[in-house]
Amino acid sequence: MFKKLSLAAGAALYASVATAHFQMLYTPELLRDNGGQISLKLPFTHPSESGHVMAVDQPNAFYMIKKGKKTDLLDSVTPTKWTSASNTGESYEADVTLRGLGDYVFIYEMAPYLEASEDVYIQQITKSIVNVGSLPTDWNEDLGLKAEIVPLTKPYAIYEGGTFNGVVKSQGEPVPFAEIEVEYVNYEPNMTTNAFSEDANIEPPADAFITMTIFADANGTFTFGIPKAGQWGFAALGVGSDKEFKGKELSQDAVIWVQAHSVN
Ligand SMILES: [Cu+2]
């Protein structure tokens, strides 16, 4: 009992240090009819408020998994810029070719980023799954990452008004009571100009809706009802096995992106 309480308290402490940052791994359609070349935009930013874009060192890893086979994509990552309402900052992007039906599980491991105001490093391990042809193959695989959200719902086939649920894990083990931040991509990313739209899709009724906070249960699982079509990000804070970087505290977060479709 005491152990559970202290775990929850530890998670709450972490939350106060590094919040509302999201490593994006963005392409407009996570569910596609056909393969071909897609662009992935990789800004580290605050997507629900078109917040500042943070400069991060070259990523540690970028790869995709399809039918259990891993393909390294680190060489396809190129530096670029991303523009938000707050600034134009250093960013990355990658073009990737999808061949054949099935799930393409993309994993992007950013370099640790020093949040100077808190003297804490943040490193997000981000997952996004692109499906071609509605044929499911790999979407629910547990990859045993240091920090990972394993989806229990197909992240690319959710109705507006439906739910997304997943389990927060570290190296295959559930993380009880993990604190999870949820953000909506409220400013449509423009794939040509590398910028967020100037217009918001929705107007949050209060600041508490910009970055929402939920907790996983005792088994590390969580459910979130998605009120609006579009892409939503989930970041489980400080759940990773690495706790320190260059002598400073490290918040190693697990991020996943999902897309809801409107009901017509
Ligand atoms: Cu920030």
Side-chain angles (χ1 to χ4, degrees):
M1 202 58 193
F2 176 75
K3 198 176 171 203
K4 280 185 180 169
L5 279 171
S6 61
L7 262 175
L13 276 175
Y14 253 105
S16 62
V17 293
T19 61
H21 302 79
F22 278 81
Q23 174 59 60
M24 297 188 73
L25 178 42
Y26 183 87
T27 193
E29 281 305 326
L30 300 187
L31 178 54
R32 299 169 55 86
D33 291 333
N34 299 300
Q37 185 172 293
I38 61 166
S39 283
L40 295 156
K41 303 294 184 181
L42 304 161
F44 185 49
T45 182
H46 303 261
S48 74
E49 52 184 344
S50 192
H52 68 286
V53 178
M54 293 155 279
V56 186
D57 289 342
Q58 295 271 351
N60 288 358
F62 181 44
Y63 54 91
M64 71 179 180
I65 292 177
K66 165 100 187 297
K67 292 180 181 164
K69 191 168 154 275
K70 181 174 173 176
T71 304
D72 191 78
L73 299 169
L74 197 54
D75 285 349
S76 67
V77 176
T78 54
T80 181
K81 308 246 187 239
W82 192 262
T83 298
S84 71
S86 160
N87 71 324
T88 295
E90 305 296 325
S91 181
Y92 299 97
E93 64 186 1
D95 287 341
V96 176
T97 302
L98 311 181
R99 292 187 177 88
L101 305 179
D103 292 321
Y104 296 77
V105 182
F106 291 96
I107 304 292
Y108 184 82
E109 185 183 321
M110 64 182 280
Y113 167 81
L114 181 63
E115 180 59 72
S117 64
E118 305 284 354
D119 206 31
V120 164
Y121 279 97
I122 302 166
Q123 182 191 37
Q124 299 193 327
I125 300 175
T126 300
K127 179 190 280 187
S128 190
I129 300 162
V130 177
N131 177 275
V132 176
S134 289
L135 177 77
T137 56
D138 301 75
W139 66 272
N140 58 336
E141 287 299 316
D142 178 346
L143 303 174
L145 306 179
K146 288 177 176 177
E148 181 172 8
I149 294 175
V150 178
L152 301 172
T153 308
K154 277 180 198 159
Y156 49 81
I158 304 169
Y159 275 127
E160 178 175 84
T163 57
F164 173 70
N165 59 341
V167 51
V168 180
K169 291 195 168 185
S170 177
Q171 297 177 319
E173 292 299 316
V175 181
F177 308 116
E179 175 158 25
I180 302 156
E181 291 186 333
V182 186
E183 286 204 10
Y184 176 53
V185 180
N186 195 18
Y187 296 81
E188 231 35 62
N190 185 315
M191 300 298 282
T192 308
T193 60
N194 275 5
F196 285 123
S197 163
E198 287 176 17
D199 304 313
N201 290 341
I202 60 170
E203 191 175 335
D207 284 355
F209 289 83
I210 294 172
T211 305
M212 286 172 283
T213 299
I214 60 174
F215 284 86
D217 67 13
N219 299 312
T221 60
F222 66 92
T223 302
F224 183 82
I226 297 188
K228 178 77 177 169
Q231 291 197 25
W232 293 76
F234 297 81
L237 305 180
V239 299
S241 45
D242 295 348
K243 302 294 185 190
E244 211 183 270
F245 184 75
K246 289 189 177 169
K248 294 186 197 296
E249 183 182 343
L250 171 71
S251 178
Q252 193 175 48
D253 308 339
V255 173
I256 193 167
W257 292 97
V258 312
Q259 183 174 18
H261 292 250
S262 52
V263 186
N264 295 311

